[in-house]
């Protein structure tokens, strides 16, 4: 069930991000009342639609998770009333139908309504459809808070998705992506995640055809999560091979995608690929304190994959304040693998079985058995020049000497140790003196350099420049030139005998 | 479901349950039944068909899977298994559990093992609808899982001894082909791990009962046999000096230079 807790924290990260941004922008410390915030958000969305600048919509969506905890039906109704002041609007009727009937309105509410009416008459045009969908999104999220409305939230989400499909507006894509997420959550809370699959698949196809990257990224992640939830790794793998994940997807989506890929690859024994993906997921994931759930889930898997690759994870990972407690079980496993004692390993496994099963890493860890044996043999081969098979058998707690011989033979063939077995005497002779400076060193070096360069290039690409910022400089330069020209004219008019295109011309050129 | 299909199904059950089962008759009945199933739209069901019909269809396919193994036709088993997949996953909640499900799944696992498709083996294992601790208690699944573990560790003698523990007759067919794989694995290990090996011990290690079998096997692998001393010697690959990979280094250095240029 490791994916389930991943989502709420993964979401939390976006909201925290936005809150840090808010503080950066020096907005007042206590957040504005939800109704005001919704109004401001709708304004931003409208601006985004009119200016074709999706950045504003993204900003609104970043505050979604923080906002959704503070809203209730009354706030929503109030906001709807403000936005659609008249009674004629069909959209308004449609929205209000999803809200439960109003509880007796208090005096305070009436006041707000009045002022809202006054403001409402200012905006003449009908609000953009994006605003309606945004309201619906908030409503779906609010319905998730109580089990009684799960069913209703599924209906609303389906209805909303249909509306989006019909409207087919590119400016709606970022919001649509969030609606899909809400839809998945609705189905999950309703306990019928599998039923949502055909819906996602159809929508994924449409999104791909419309080049709707935001929705596409969100939907691919929805599908992968859906498959992994039911352990359908085959299907998930096929989905990955048949789709291309949009490169422009947000970091949050990319982190999830890499995590899913990491899981798939780990199950398929492709540990190197799994490790790369998990590293990416860790890098893309928000700071540990912000989204602890996701951070822990990725690290758990990453530790297991590292062990399966034959590496020992760094000690500092287990001392991280966010990871220390949840990764306790994994730390014990690492210790057992490091010591190379099968008995230790089995005991630790039995002790933490429940935790590991809950994390869905149990079967992966079962595969570590052979790594434990290999580590044990490697340790022995390093410390002994010659050792009897019977002693190996006893030290590693193997079942019989015969087994030990086969196992050592396999270890030699797999290149774990460099040794020979002398069958007649029943011992293993180790050959040492390995040349440590072979071509593999260059390979490892090359890989690391490649990683650093890639990181540098990615960061350069990720830099954003404010739009039209260069205009300001241009006008400044223009002004300066103007001043120079005036100066030159003054000098000329003042009967200044000298070079015709005096200093003014030169300085002007300098610009 | 058509009555004709029902009579054919009864006949198939009878033919399959009789000891020894009539393989040829089962084969012809199965192909007739499959046509019947296609006509009834049950081979690859869609929508919400009658659960009882589905259960019958599943039963027919399961018999088909077992029959393929008995007739030693692995590709046919593969096909039956893919067809059963829909019944085992998508219609799981509708259908009553089948007592043949886990034997079939176990057989599929062993098949992947004998074909050395370890990655597929693990993917299939992960997608089993079983909690992880039941893998060790379900005899049909435990068997292939243990085999895989021993193979990966190198405890070949355990695999050899497990031949007799097969939970159903059909497993034995795969075990036999597994033995061939194991022998080759052991031989490869021996080539790497030993310089010389007495003939007698080599025979025990490779599970040969007679020396002639061993000699034939040794010849296939191109081992040097010294009959007078009674030993096999393995040609050691000498660690020759590896050349410096010039091209690779040049390419890498040029790449660094270009990237640095971009940065500076």
């Amino acid at each position: 069930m490791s994916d389930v807790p991943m989502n709420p924290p993964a979401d939390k990260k976006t909201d925290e991000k936005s809150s840090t941004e808010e503080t950066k922008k020096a907005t007042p410390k206590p957040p504005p009342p939800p109704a005001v915030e919704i109004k401001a958000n709708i304004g931003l969305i409208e601006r985004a639609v009119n200016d074709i600048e999706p950045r504003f919509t993204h900003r609104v969506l970043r505050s979604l998770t923080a906002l959704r905890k503070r809203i209730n039906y009354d706030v929503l109704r109030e906001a709807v009333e403000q936005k659609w002041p008249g009674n004629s609007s069909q959209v308004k009727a449609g929205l209000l139908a999803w809200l439960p009937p109003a509880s007796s309105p208090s005096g305070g509410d009436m006041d707000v309504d009045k002022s809202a009416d006054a403001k409402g008459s200012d905006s003449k045009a009908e609000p953009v459809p994006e605003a309606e969908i945004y309201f619906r999104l908030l409503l779906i999220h609010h319905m998730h808070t109580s089990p009684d409305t799960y069913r209703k939230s599924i209906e609303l989400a389906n209805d909303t998705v249909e509306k989006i499909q019909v409207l087919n507006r590119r400016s709606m894509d970022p919001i649509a992506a969030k609606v899909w997420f809400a839809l998945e959550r609705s189905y999950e809370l309703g306990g019928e995640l599998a039923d949502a699959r055909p819906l996602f698949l159809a929508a994924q196809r449409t999104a791909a055809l419309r080049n709707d990257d935001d929705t596409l990224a969100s939907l691919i992640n929805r599908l992968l999560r859906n498959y992994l939830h039911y352990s359908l790794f085959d299907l998930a793998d096929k989905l990955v091979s048949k789709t291309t994940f949009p490169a422009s997807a947000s970091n949050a989506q990319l982190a999830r995608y890499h995590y899913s890929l990491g899981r798939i690859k780990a199950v398929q024994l492709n540990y190197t690929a799994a490790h790369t993906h998990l590293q990416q997921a860790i890098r893309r994931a928000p700071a540990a304190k912000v989204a602890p759930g996701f951070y822990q889930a990725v690290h758990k898997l990453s530790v297991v994959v590292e062990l399966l690759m034959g590496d020992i994870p760094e000690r500092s990972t287990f001392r991280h304040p966010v990871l220390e407690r949840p990764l306790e079980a994994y730390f014990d496993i690492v210790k057992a693998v490091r010591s190379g004692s099968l008995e230790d390993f089995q005991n630790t496994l039995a002790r933490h079985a429940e935790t590991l099963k809950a994390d869905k890493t149990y079967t992966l860890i079962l595969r570590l058995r052979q790594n434990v044996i290999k580590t044990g043999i490697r340790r022995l081969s390093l410390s002994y020049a010659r050792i009897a098979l019977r002693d190996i058998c006893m030290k590693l707690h193997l079942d019989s000497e015969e087994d030990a011989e086969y196992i050592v033979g396999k270890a030699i063939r797999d290149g774990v140790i460099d040794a020979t077995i002398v069958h007649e005497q029943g011992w293993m002779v180790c050959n040492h003196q390995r040349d440590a400076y072979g071509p593999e060193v260059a390979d490892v070096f090359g890989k690391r350099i490649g990683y650093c360069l890639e990181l540098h290039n990615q960061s350069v690409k990720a830099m954003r420049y404010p739009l039209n910022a260069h205009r300001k400089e241009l006008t400044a330069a223009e002004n300066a030139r103007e001043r120079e020209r005036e100066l030159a004219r003054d000098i000329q008019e003042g009967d200044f005998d000298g070079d015709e295109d005096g200093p003014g011309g030169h300085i002007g050129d300098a610009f | 479901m058509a009555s004709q299909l029902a009579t054919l199904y009864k006949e198939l059950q009878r033919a399959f349950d009789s000891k020894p089962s009539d393989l040829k008759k089962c084969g012809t009945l199965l192909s007739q039944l499959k046509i019947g199933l296609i006509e009834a739209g049950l081979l690859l069901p869609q929508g919400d068909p009658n659960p009882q019909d589905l259960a019958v269809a599943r039963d027919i396919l399961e018999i088909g899977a077992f029959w393929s193994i008995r007739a030693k036709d692995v590709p046919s088993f593969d096909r039956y298994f893919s067809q059963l997949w829909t019944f085992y996953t998508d219609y799981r909640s509708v259908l009553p559990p089948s007592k043949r499900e886990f034997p079939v799944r176990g057989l599929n696992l062993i098949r992947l093992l004998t074909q050395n498709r370890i990655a597929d083996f693990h993917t299939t294992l992960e997608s089993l609808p079983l909690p992880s601790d039941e893998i060790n208690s379900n005899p049909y699944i435990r068997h292939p899982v243990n085999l895989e573990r021993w193979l990966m560790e190198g405890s070949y003698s355990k695999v050899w001894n497990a031949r007799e523990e097969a939970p159903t007759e059909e497993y034995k067919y795969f075990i036999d082909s597994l033995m061939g794989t194991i022998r080759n694995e052991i031989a490869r290990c021996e080539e790497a791990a030993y310089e010389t090996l007495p003939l007698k011990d080599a025979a025990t290690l490779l599970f040969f009962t007679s020396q002639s079998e061993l000699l034939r096997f040794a010849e296939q692998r191109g081992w040097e046999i010294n009959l007078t001393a009674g030993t096999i010697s393995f040609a050691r690959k000498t660690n020759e000096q590896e050349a410096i990979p010039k091209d690779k280094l040049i390419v890498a250095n040029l790449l660094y230079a270009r990237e640095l240029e971009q940065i500076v």
Side-chain angles (χ1 to χ4, degrees):
Chain A
M1 294 300 277
S2 66
D3 328 43
V4 178
M6 164 190 159
N7 260 307
D11 257 3
K12 224 179 274 167
K13 72 195 168 197
T14 29
D15 99 55
E16 295 283 334
K17 235 190 257 163
S18 71
S19 68
T20 48
E21 201 157 286
E22 266 166 35
T23 44
K24 245 186 264 162
K25 282 187 191 130
T27 39
K29 279 273 145 61
V36 176
E37 199 177 327
I38 292 176
K39 195 163 181 311
N41 284 341
I42 298 278
L44 277 174
I45 290 177
E46 279 176 348
R47 207 167 130 203
V49 174
N50 295 331
D51 297 356
I52 321 178
E53 177 60 88
R55 211 153 44 85
F56 294 121
T57 316
H58 284 295
R59 191 196 294 171
V60 171
L61 292 175
R62 271 204 301 269
S63 67
L64 178 67
T65 11
L67 183 63
R68 77 169 187 227
K69 286 185 195 115
R70 296 188 285 128
I71 53 173
N72 55 39
Y73 290 122
D74 290 334
V75 169
L76 280 173
R77 188 174 309 105
E78 189 187 316
V80 172
E81 291 284 355
Q82 278 186 27
K83 203 63 225 172
W84 287 274
N87 276 327
S88 55
S89 167
Q90 267 191 336
V91 177
K92 181 184 175 186
L95 275 174
L96 287 180
W98 290 103
L99 292 163
S103 48
S104 59
S106 62
D109 274 349
M110 296 305 283
D111 280 349
V112 177
D113 276 350
K114 256 178 246 158
S115 64
D117 271 346
K119 270 182 206 153
S121 53
D122 291 344
S123 57
K124 294 136 206 145
E126 174 85 347
V128 289
E130 279 79 359
E132 184 202 350
I133 303 296
Y134 180 66
F135 269 116
R136 282 166 173 261
L137 181 60
L138 286 177
L139 194 53
I140 299 172
H141 274 300
H142 186 62
M143 282 176 176
H144 289 164
T145 49
S146 121
D148 307 335
T149 46
Y150 286 167
R151 194 119 280 289
K152 218 171 147 192
S153 77
I154 295 178
E155 281 171 37
L156 175 59
N158 277 326
D159 189 60
T160 311
V161 163
E162 266 169 42
K163 252 195 155 61
I164 294 173
Q165 304 272 27
V166 172
L167 285 165
N168 186 18
R169 287 164 68 105
R170 289 290 70 75
S171 49
M172 200 180 287
D173 291 346
I175 307 183
K178 287 280 171 189
V179 172
W180 282 109
F181 171 74
L183 178 81
E184 181 199 37
R185 198 73 193 127
S186 295
Y187 272 100
E188 190 180 356
L189 290 168
E192 25 193 299
L193 203 49
D195 295 349
R197 217 179 291 151
L199 210 62
F200 288 144
L201 282 169
Q204 187 263 332
R205 213 160 42 219
T206 321
L209 286 175
R210 289 179 181 169
N211 278 333
D212 176 358
D213 282 355
D214 290 309
T215 314
L216 190 60
S218 173
L219 279 170
I220 292 178
N221 276 332
R222 301 284 83 77
L223 278 167
L224 282 180
R225 202 168 105 73
N226 200 316
Y227 286 138
L228 295 187
H229 182 79
Y230 293 100
S231 299
L232 298 170
F233 292 96
D234 265 348
L235 295 176
D237 186 43
K238 282 190 187 120
L239 177 75
V240 170
S241 65
K242 294 278 183 292
T243 52
T244 37
F245 195 76
S248 62
S250 67
N251 259 351
Q253 299 292 359
L254 266 174
R256 289 192 187 125
Y257 185 65
H258 280 297
Y259 174 71
S260 302
L261 278 186
R263 270 191 78 86
I264 297 171
K265 297 287 174 208
V267 166
Q268 289 176 338
L269 299 153
N270 192 348
Y271 301 128
T272 328
H275 189 244
T276 330
H277 285 301
L278 291 174
Q279 285 297 317
Q280 283 283 336
I282 290 176
R283 232 184 65 200
R284 301 267 182 187
K289 289 242 168 54
V290 174
F294 185 70
Y295 198 72
Q296 285 158 7
V298 180
H299 271 282
K300 279 174 189 170
L301 198 58
S302 155
V303 165
V304 177
V305 168
E306 256 180 81
L307 283 176
L308 282 168
M309 285 178 22
D311 295 344
I312 300 294
E314 270 181 50
R315 180 73 173 79
S316 59
T317 315
F318 300 100
R319 264 195 242 116
H320 195 287
V322 175
L323 301 175
E324 195 173 1
R325 278 191 50 76
L327 259 66
E328 229 178 342
Y330 295 86
F331 184 47
D332 289 346
I333 298 272
V334 172
K335 278 195 285 194
V337 173
R338 241 172 73 87
S339 71
S341 147
L342 260 187
E343 205 178 318
D344 240 20
F345 177 70
Q346 296 292 13
N347 289 342
T348 324
L349 197 60
R351 201 164 64 238
H352 294 295
E354 286 314 310
T355 333
L356 301 177
K357 275 173 200 160
D359 290 342
K360 275 193 176 171
T361 47
Y362 187 71
T363 40
L364 283 178
I365 288 181
L366 278 183
R367 295 188 200 164
L368 276 174
R369 220 182 107 91
Q370 71 208 61
N371 288 51
V372 179
I373 297 176
K374 277 184 191 162
T375 327
I377 293 182
R378 193 188 292 157
R379 247 172 17 126
L380 289 179
S381 85
L382 289 177
S383 31
Y384 294 87
R386 187 192 295 165
I387 180 168
L389 289 171
R390 183 149 35 91
D391 291 336
I392 294 180
C393 176
M394 271 157 58
K395 278 184 195 295
L396 297 182
H397 308 285
L398 301 175
D399 293 340
S400 69
E401 208 174 317
E402 200 188 359
D403 271 342
E405 187 164 351
Y406 284 121
I407 290 172
V408 171
K410 192 167 161 44
I412 294 173
R413 199 202 63 181
D414 292 347
V416 178
I417 49 170
D418 189 10
T420 43
I421 304 174
V422 183
H423 185 83
E424 294 88 333
Q425 322 287 342
W427 62 44
M428 172 179 98
V429 182
C430 308
N431 329 331
H432 289 293
Q433 317 119 21
R434 253 267 180 87
D435 185 8
Y437 280 88
E440 20 342 323
V441 182
D443 282 347
V444 172
F445 179 69
K447 224 161 102 191
R448 288 187 189 178
I449 293 280
Y451 180 78
C452 292
L453 289 175
E454 177 68 20
L455 183 65
H456 175 268
N457 288 341
Q458 291 267 334
S459 344
V460 170
K461 272 186 208 159
M463 275 198 238
R464 289 242 317 252
Y465 301 97
L467 211 64
N468 297 338
H470 64 289
R471 288 258 174 84
K472 231 179 260 169
E473 275 172 45
L474 276 183
T475 46
E478 196 68 41
N479 287 342
R481 212 171 296 151
E482 198 63 38
R483 266 200 309 279
E484 291 300 334
R485 230 172 269 142
E486 263 169 38
L487 193 67
R489 214 179 303 128
D490 285 351
I491 293 170
Q492 266 182 3
E493 277 166 13
D495 275 1
F496 186 86
D497 276 348
D499 214 338
E500 278 282 301
D501 44 19
H506 281 294
I507 296 173
D509 282 349
F511 282 100
Chain B
M1 188 181 282
S3 60
Q4 193 205 352
L5 215 56
T7 45
L8 277 175
Y9 169 57
K10 289 233 174 63
E11 223 174 303
L12 175 69
Q13 272 184 323
R14 224 174 301 123
F16 185 74
D17 288 336
S18 64
K19 288 197 178 153
S21 49
D22 189 344
L23 285 180
K24 217 166 156 199
K25 196 174 167 204
C26 282
T28 43
L29 280 173
L30 274 168
S31 37
Q32 282 172 9
L33 274 166
K34 268 195 282 185
I35 296 170
L37 284 177
I38 294 170
E39 279 165 357
L42 287 168
L43 191 64
L44 292 165
Q46 275 171 343
D48 292 312
N50 182 357
Q52 268 168 349
D53 289 356
L54 278 179
V56 171
R58 184 183 63 183
D59 212 36
I60 293 171
L61 291 174
E62 279 170 348
I63 292 179
F66 280 111
W67 167 81
S68 322
I69 302 291
R70 288 189 195 170
K72 303 201 184 334
D73 185 354
V74 179
S76 155
F77 173 78
D78 199 6
R79 280 196 296 278
Y80 277 111
F81 186 77
S82 324
Q83 282 156 1
L84 278 168
W85 185 253
T86 324
F87 292 90
Y88 288 154
T89 49
D90 298 339
Y91 290 97
R92 187 168 196 80
S93 48
V94 189
L95 291 174
S98 155
K99 64 177 194 306
R100 290 207 190 94
E101 175 178 349
F102 285 103
V104 171
R105 282 178 185 271
L107 279 173
N108 183 47
L109 285 174
I110 288 226
R111 171 183 73 97
L112 293 173
L113 209 55
T114 48
Q115 293 171 344
N116 213 7
R117 286 159 62 181
I118 305 295
D120 287 332
F121 176 89
H122 280 287
T123 319
T124 320
L125 189 63
E126 291 276 346
S127 44
L128 280 184
L130 278 179
S132 343
D133 44 348
E134 254 180 57
I135 286 177
N136 280 327
S137 56
N138 188 319
Y140 301 107
I141 303 299
R142 188 181 57 204
H143 188 66
V145 169
N146 279 340
L147 286 183
E148 191 268 350
R149 191 169 302 159
W150 292 329
L151 275 178
M152 286 299 122
E153 278 171 21
S155 316
Y156 296 119
S157 61
K158 281 190 188 148
V159 182
W160 183 256
N161 295 334
R163 263 176 321 164
E164 300 309 319
E165 294 163 18
T168 63
E169 272 311 298
E170 284 80 9
Y171 280 67
K172 291 200 175 138
Y173 163 69
F174 283 117
I175 299 280
D176 286 341
S177 69
L178 200 57
M179 287 311 134
T181 326
I182 292 179
R183 231 171 236 153
N184 279 319
E185 283 284 306
I186 299 175
R188 239 176 283 151
C189 291
E190 285 179 355
E191 282 164 15
Y194 300 90
E195 277 161 19
T196 57
L197 197 61
L199 273 176
K200 205 163 68 61
D201 295 325
T204 5
L205 283 174
L206 287 164
F207 310 112
F208 282 121
T209 40
S210 74
Q211 195 165 350
S212 58
E213 274 178 294
L214 173 68
L215 289 179
R216 211 175 315 127
F217 185 77
E219 209 172 307
Q220 273 173 14
R221 296 205 65 94
W223 292 343
E224 262 176 60
I225 301 163
N226 189 340
L227 275 175
T228 42
T231 55
I232 302 177
S233 39
F234 304 99
R236 296 289 279 182
K237 284 146 253 147
T238 44
N239 300 3
E240 52 200 85
Q241 195 71 36
E242 271 182 60
I244 296 170
K246 299 186 207 78
D247 290 348
K248 219 162 105 193
L249 287 177
I250 292 171
V251 169
N253 279 320
L254 283 177
L255 184 79
Y256 300 156
R258 209 181 62 219
E259 294 279 350
L260 274 178
E261 194 99 299
Q262 275 179 9
I263 293 170
V264 181

